[in-house]
Amino acid sequence: MIRINLLPHREEARKAKRQAFYAMLGGVVGLAAIVVFAVSAVISAFISSQVGANDYLKREIAALDKQIEQIKKLKEQTQALLARKQIIEDLQRDRGETVHLLSELVKQVPEGIYLRSLKQEGAKVSVTGYAQSNARVSALMRNLEASPWLTNPQLVEVKAVVLNGRRTNEFAMNFSLKRTQPEEVKGKKK
């Protein structure tokens, strides 16, 4: 029988398989390295793109914040101007108020009533004075109610006092001025 020694052939086959395995392992490691590098490059590109977008957004937000501050300042200035305008309109509307008040008081105060003090706070007017009788105080209240410029008379008190040896009535009264509307003021100017 012939004996054939297959050990060297097997050894060479194992060596070839080992070399193929190492070559395949090197190829897989190389391919994995390429894939990792490619994924890393793509992720890095996405990150740098996002950082650029974030920087752009930060610049735009800063510009918008400046514009918002300017808008706030403009709103404050607008409010201040509107407040000034309202004050001017109120002054324009009320500039003849004192004249109307005094003129109407002269017309509406009946004989036998003497005013001691007159105090105005806005549209509210407080009057104190002396009357020869309660009927004259009532007449004053009716006259004030009928006046086109004075309204809502309210008697605070009436008390009997002796003044210069004469018996008289001291009274306190509140009433309101009718405010003219801005349209009425403009209409009277034309």
Side-chain angles (χ1 to χ4, degrees):
M1 159 152 132
I2 303 178
R3 287 192 168 182
I4 301 176
N5 189 0
L6 293 176
L7 285 180
H9 177 38
R10 288 182 184 160
E11 191 63 35
E12 282 179 23
R14 282 187 201 144
K15 197 177 196 186
K17 283 183 181 179
R18 234 184 272 137
Q19 283 179 350
F21 174 74
Y22 287 136
M24 194 181 303
L25 182 64
V28 167
V29 168
L31 185 62
I34 290 172
V35 167
V36 166
F37 177 74
V39 168
S40 172
V42 167
I43 290 174
S44 172
F46 282 141
I47 289 174
S48 66
S49 171
Q50 190 62 46
V51 166
N54 289 349
D55 290 341
Y56 172 75
L57 289 175
K58 285 178 184 176
R59 287 191 305 273
E60 290 300 314
I61 288 171
L64 289 175
D65 285 342
K66 288 179 183 177
Q67 289 177 353
I68 288 172
E69 286 299 318
Q70 290 174 347
I71 289 171
K72 284 182 183 177
K73 287 179 184 177
L74 287 174
K75 282 185 180 179
E76 290 172 1
Q77 289 174 350
T78 302
Q79 291 299 326
L81 288 174
L82 287 175
R84 287 180 188 168
K85 179 183 173 233
Q86 185 63 42
I87 290 170
I88 290 170
E89 286 176 355
D90 289 345
L91 288 173
Q92 183 73 15
R93 180 190 70 209
D94 297 341
R95 70 180 174 172
E97 194 173 83
T98 305
V99 174
H100 289 298
L101 171 64
L102 295 176
S103 173
E104 282 299 309
L105 276 178
V106 168
K107 291 177 190 175
Q108 303 303 334
V109 174
E111 226 177 276
I113 290 194
Y114 306 98
L115 299 180
R116 185 178 69 169
S117 70
L118 174 73
K119 182 178 178 186
Q120 179 182 358
E121 291 180 14
K124 183 180 176 187
V125 179
S126 300
V127 175
T128 58
Y130 300 105
Q132 291 176 352
S133 68
N134 287 339
R136 300 205 188 246
V137 175
S138 297
L140 175 62
M141 289 183 68
R142 281 191 301 273
N143 291 348
L144 291 177
E145 188 67 41
S147 170
W149 291 98
L150 309 174
T151 184
N152 196 21
Q154 297 173 343
L155 187 62
V156 176
E157 72 174 330
V158 175
K159 60 183 176 180
V161 294
V162 175
L163 185 65
N164 296 334
R166 297 167 116 184
R167 185 182 175 291
T168 186
N169 294 315
E170 183 179 8
F171 68 92
M173 181 182 299
N174 296 327
F175 57 90
S176 300
L177 284 169
K178 288 184 184 175
R179 299 269 178 160
T180 57
Q181 297 303 320
E183 293 82 30
E184 292 176 15
V185 172
K186 290 178 185 172
K188 288 182 181 179
K189 285 183 182 178
K190 292 181 181 178

